[in-house]
Amino acid sequence: MRPKWASLLMLWLAMLLAGIAGVSSAATAASEAPIELRQGTVTTTVGGVTRTEPVELSYHWDRQHNGRPGMASFDLPFTLEAEPETPWGIFIPRVGNVFEVQLNDALLQVYGDLDRSNDADYAKAPIYVPVPGRLLRKGDNLLQIRLHADTARRAGLSQVVIGPAAPVRTELFESAYAWRFTGSVLLMAFSLIVGGIALALWLTQVDADAKGAQRRDGIYFWAALAEFCWAVRVADGVIAEPPLSWGPWGVLMAACYAGWAASSMMFVYHLAGWGRDRRYQWVRWPIAGIVVATVLFSALSLQREEPMWLTGWLAVQIVFVLAFVSAFAVDTLRKPSAERLLVAGAALVTVMFGVRDWLVIRLSDAYGETTWVRYSSVFFGVALLLIVLRRFRAASVLARGSVAALAERVAQRERELAATYAELEAAARDQARTHERERILREMHDGMGSHITSAIRQLQSGQTSSGDLLRTLRDSLDQLKLQIDSIHLPPGDVGALLAAARYRLEPRLASSGIEFEWAVDEVEPVERLGAQGMRQLQFLLFEAISNVLQHAQATVLRFEAGMQGTTVQLRVIDNGKGFDAVKHRPRSLAERSGAIGARLTVESRPGRTVVQLEFD
């Protein structure tokens, strides 16, 4: 027999090994969790001056260096408790303008040429960098990101996440990519579609004015121009290597933004009817001035490397747009219409989002934020599209007089078709009635006829009792009544079928000395029970009750029905003498239940027999 001290020693060793395994698995799990890198050091070179200092991400280059160009190298250390067992990846929400990524002195990715200025810009889409196997090590690791920043181009570095490839790529990168890159593609496509529709209507819808001169509706032109300008502006979010250098390209993007705002205001100008009122015609000049001034201030901002010139002008522009939209909203409240209310709501939301973008993107130190106006512009685009289509529909109504004769001929053809269809329906109803008569006769032959035939044989044999003969005849009569009732039963209505059976059979049960109990709740219709299925279920219940009357010697018969979740459940319960449900399984009941797709369960013992049907 093993000594007591030996058993204790074995138990202590087992506990020690379990603890070591638990610590190891916990360390592995911790090493497999994504790590957000926020702190490190940055070495910047601006105007020939190099400086190294601690940094806490995110790092907004324009805020830190007033938009001047330069170079930066970020050293972001992190520690792993164990060497990763799965592939890892790096997710960077925003970094640019051009950059390279190194991990433990190994170059992972290069985006653009660090020695070239005002060329590519990779800060427009989130970045995912896969990490090769065995490059990470237990203990200290170092992630290095070197970037080149252009003048007033929203350069910098957001927080960085490194971790297992599956959660980093699926949960972080793909979601951010869908919002910023895929979302920009969809917005661009939407704007091009709306602009194309508006332009097509402007080119094709020509009206004559009071003097007979041909003119086009300006509302279509300004809607098309607004959407085309916005499509070009949003396209910048998916173009990492623009066809122009940053200076001309930046001025072009600012001009497109201003063109979208000015064209949208001109759309509202025509929608409000201000173009026909001399008191408001002066408004067109400041709207045109928005585009000219935006081009001048954006060029000045880039040329002087001072982003505040453009930031200040955008504040003036927002104030003017807000005043314009407010005036339109007040005018809409005085003369409301569905079109005006729709555009006023979209314009107010867009202006509020524009104010938010100006505060967050142009003034705050936040880096990695996305403009909201690009998404709110969808509301304005939808409003433009609906109004353009409504105007087109109204114009189309005026041209319908020329097709009146054609419409009348089409209506005549439709009336002829309707008459033919009515004749076909009548023939179909006659055919359905014929089939129904044939079914009733067939079922009377198979049901009541078979019972009467049995009664005749009982009489001819001379060996049956009057009680047996009476039961056979009553069964025949009850089945006839139930067949008549089945004509009026709606398909799938199990509750109505049970009620009909109760109405027909309760007097017979009472005359046989059997107490009838009713516990039927409201049940959902069984969709697959058509007319034939309802008759099968009716025969099945009749057979179960007939067995009770003939064999069970019961004093109580109970109907139960209810819902068990989404399952319809029916029960016929009696307190008779019972039978061996395993040896004497009712074959006829099983065949009928299988024909209607119901689950049949039969339980029996002295004093309680249950026939249960379930429909899913």
Side-chain angles (χ1 to χ4, degrees):
M1 186 173 181
R2 182 181 296 174
K4 182 177 181 181
W5 64 268
S7 299
L8 292 174
L9 179 60
M10 293 292 291
L11 178 61
W12 182 82
L13 288 174
M15 293 175 63
L16 180 60
L17 290 174
I20 293 173
V23 171
S24 176
S25 62
T28 301
S31 67
E32 294 294 308
I35 303 171
E36 186 176 80
L37 305 181
R38 285 179 172 270
Q39 296 180 336
T41 60
V42 59
T43 301
T44 59
T45 301
V46 180
V49 177
T50 300
R51 186 173 61 180
T52 300
E53 58 186 355
V55 66
E56 181 170 354
L57 302 179
S58 61
Y59 190 89
H60 197 313
W61 179 274
D62 290 345
R63 299 283 83 77
Q64 298 292 331
H65 304 285
N66 296 322
R68 292 181 295 168
M71 300 283 294
S73 178
F74 295 86
D75 293 343
L76 305 175
F78 61 97
T79 303
L80 296 180
E81 298 180 3
E83 184 175 322
E85 299 178 355
T86 59
W88 275 39
I90 302 170
F91 167 59
I92 311 175
R94 188 178 182 93
V95 56
N97 303 108
V98 294
F99 61 96
E100 65 181 24
V101 181
Q102 295 184 11
L103 178 62
N104 293 331
D105 296 325
L107 182 63
L108 298 182
Q109 290 280 9
V110 177
Y111 292 84
D113 188 348
L114 294 179
D115 295 328
R116 296 183 62 180
S117 301
N118 300 322
D119 191 14
D121 181 14
Y122 291 91
K124 300 172 182 178
I127 300 296
Y128 176 80
V129 180
V131 177
R134 296 191 300 273
L135 189 58
L136 291 167
R137 56 188 178 228
K138 180 180 179 181
D140 295 335
N141 294 266
L142 180 63
L143 177 66
Q144 295 175 297
I145 299 176
R146 297 178 62 237
L147 63 84
H148 179 99
D150 294 327
T151 300
R153 207 176 186 184
R154 293 198 67 202
L157 178 64
S158 65
Q159 295 91 343
V160 179
V161 177
I162 184 171
V168 170
R169 183 178 182 87
T170 304
E171 300 175 9
L172 299 178
F173 169 74
E174 291 183 356
S175 175
Y177 190 86
W179 274 105
R180 287 177 56 187
F181 189 88
T182 308
S184 296
V185 173
L186 295 177
L187 288 172
M188 179 180 62
F190 174 77
S191 295
L192 289 175
I193 291 172
V194 175
I197 293 173
L199 181 61
L201 292 176
W202 182 73
L203 292 174
T204 58
Q205 301 302 305
V206 181
D207 299 325
D209 58 16
K211 299 180 180 179
Q214 299 293 314
R215 65 177 182 84
R216 293 182 172 88
D217 194 342
I219 199 169
Y220 297 143
F221 172 80
W222 293 112
L225 186 59
E227 291 304 314
F228 287 144
C229 286
W230 191 247
V232 176
R233 180 65 184 87
V234 173
D236 178 57
V238 300
I239 301 175
E241 299 180 0
L244 303 175
S245 64
W246 166 232
W249 184 256
V251 173
L252 176 61
M253 291 301 102
C256 288
Y257 187 90
W260 168 73
S263 299
S264 299
M265 285 191 288
M266 287 301 299
F267 177 90
V268 172
Y269 178 83
H270 283 273
L271 178 65
W274 292 345
R276 297 186 298 270
D277 191 335
R278 291 186 177 182
R279 295 177 300 171
Y280 295 101
Q281 291 185 358
W282 62 269
V283 177
R284 295 176 296 178
W285 297 108
I287 291 176
I290 285 178
V291 180
V292 176
T294 300
V295 172
L296 294 177
F297 279 100
S298 60
L300 182 64
S301 177
L302 292 173
Q303 193 272 331
R304 296 175 63 93
E305 298 181 356
E306 295 178 359
M308 291 306 295
W309 284 96
L310 182 58
T311 300
W313 164 245
L314 290 177
V316 175
Q317 179 178 324
I318 289 174
V319 171
F320 176 78
V321 173
L322 180 59
F324 180 90
V325 171
S326 300
F328 175 68
V330 171
D331 192 59
T332 298
L333 294 177
R334 292 174 180 172
K335 295 178 289 186
S337 68
E339 294 181 351
R340 285 166 166 259
L341 291 172
L342 185 64
V343 172
L348 288 172
V349 171
T350 303
V351 170
M352 287 189 295
F353 282 10
V355 173
R356 176 263 175 196
D357 290 347
W358 183 77
L359 293 173
V360 173
I361 305 299
R362 305 295 304 186
L363 291 185
S364 73
D365 291 334
Y367 189 72
E369 293 286 341
T370 302
T371 59
W372 287 10
V373 167
R374 70 168 59 192
Y375 303 113
S376 68
S377 65
V378 175
F379 304 141
F380 202 75
V382 170
L384 298 186
L385 179 61
L386 291 177
I387 290 172
V388 164
L389 294 180
R390 287 189 63 180
R391 290 287 181 98
F392 174 69
R393 181 176 178 274
S396 299
V397 169
L398 298 177
R400 290 177 183 173
S402 60
V403 295
L406 178 61
E408 179 58 30
R409 288 197 296 270
V410 171
Q412 179 62 29
R413 292 292 185 185
E414 289 180 346
R415 287 192 290 268
E416 294 173 359
L417 289 173
T420 304
Y421 182 76
E423 294 174 0
L424 292 174
E425 276 194 326
R429 286 194 296 269
D430 292 338
Q431 186 178 17
R433 281 194 292 268
T434 301
H435 289 325
E436 184 66 11
R437 292 191 190 102
E438 292 174 355
R439 179 192 65 79
I440 294 172
L441 292 173
R442 184 172 59 254
E443 290 181 355
M444 290 179 64
H445 175 271
D446 295 340
M448 187 181 69
S450 64
H451 283 84
I452 294 175
T453 301
S454 297
I456 292 173
R457 290 176 180 174
Q458 288 173 340
L459 286 172
Q460 290 176 342
S461 67
Q463 299 179 357
T464 185
S465 64
S466 60
D468 292 337
L469 181 60
L470 182 60
R471 279 194 297 271
T472 301
L473 293 174
R474 282 179 172 174
D475 282 348
S476 176
L477 183 59
D478 289 337
Q479 193 164 36
L480 176 61
K481 293 176 180 179
L482 291 173
Q483 286 175 346
I484 294 172
D485 291 339
S486 69
I487 299 174
H488 307 289
L489 286 176
D493 194 342
V494 177
L497 185 147
L498 294 176
R502 175 187 182 184
Y503 173 76
R504 292 299 185 187
L505 298 177
E506 190 171 16
R508 183 178 173 189
L509 293 172
S511 66
S512 301
I514 298 177
E515 179 184 355
F516 183 78
E517 295 182 355
W518 179 263
V520 175
D521 296 328
E522 184 176 353
V523 296
E524 296 290 334
V526 181
E527 294 181 359
R528 66 170 177 270
L529 283 181
Q532 182 62 26
M534 293 290 284
R535 288 190 289 274
Q536 288 282 3
L537 177 59
Q538 191 179 53
F539 293 156
L540 191 154
L541 293 174
F542 178 79
E543 184 174 348
I545 297 169
S546 180
N547 290 338
V548 174
L549 291 171
Q550 296 182 31
H551 310 295
Q553 300 177 10
T555 59
V556 177
L557 179 67
R558 180 181 178 87
F559 270 12
E560 292 183 358
M563 299 295 299
Q564 296 293 326
T566 59
T567 301
V568 177
Q569 190 178 84
L570 310 181
R571 290 182 177 179
V572 179
I573 306 172
D574 69 82
N575 65 344
K577 62 181 182 181
F579 62 96
D580 190 342
V582 177
K583 292 183 179 180
H584 304 286
R585 179 175 176 84
R587 180 177 300 175
S588 178
L589 296 182
E591 290 175 354
R592 291 188 185 276
S593 62
I596 60 178
R599 292 196 301 273
L600 173 68
T601 305
V602 180
E603 301 175 0
S604 183
R605 65 174 186 271
R608 181 177 174 84
T609 297
V610 180
V611 177
Q612 177 175 291
L613 292 173
E614 291 182 328
F615 298 88
D616 291 328

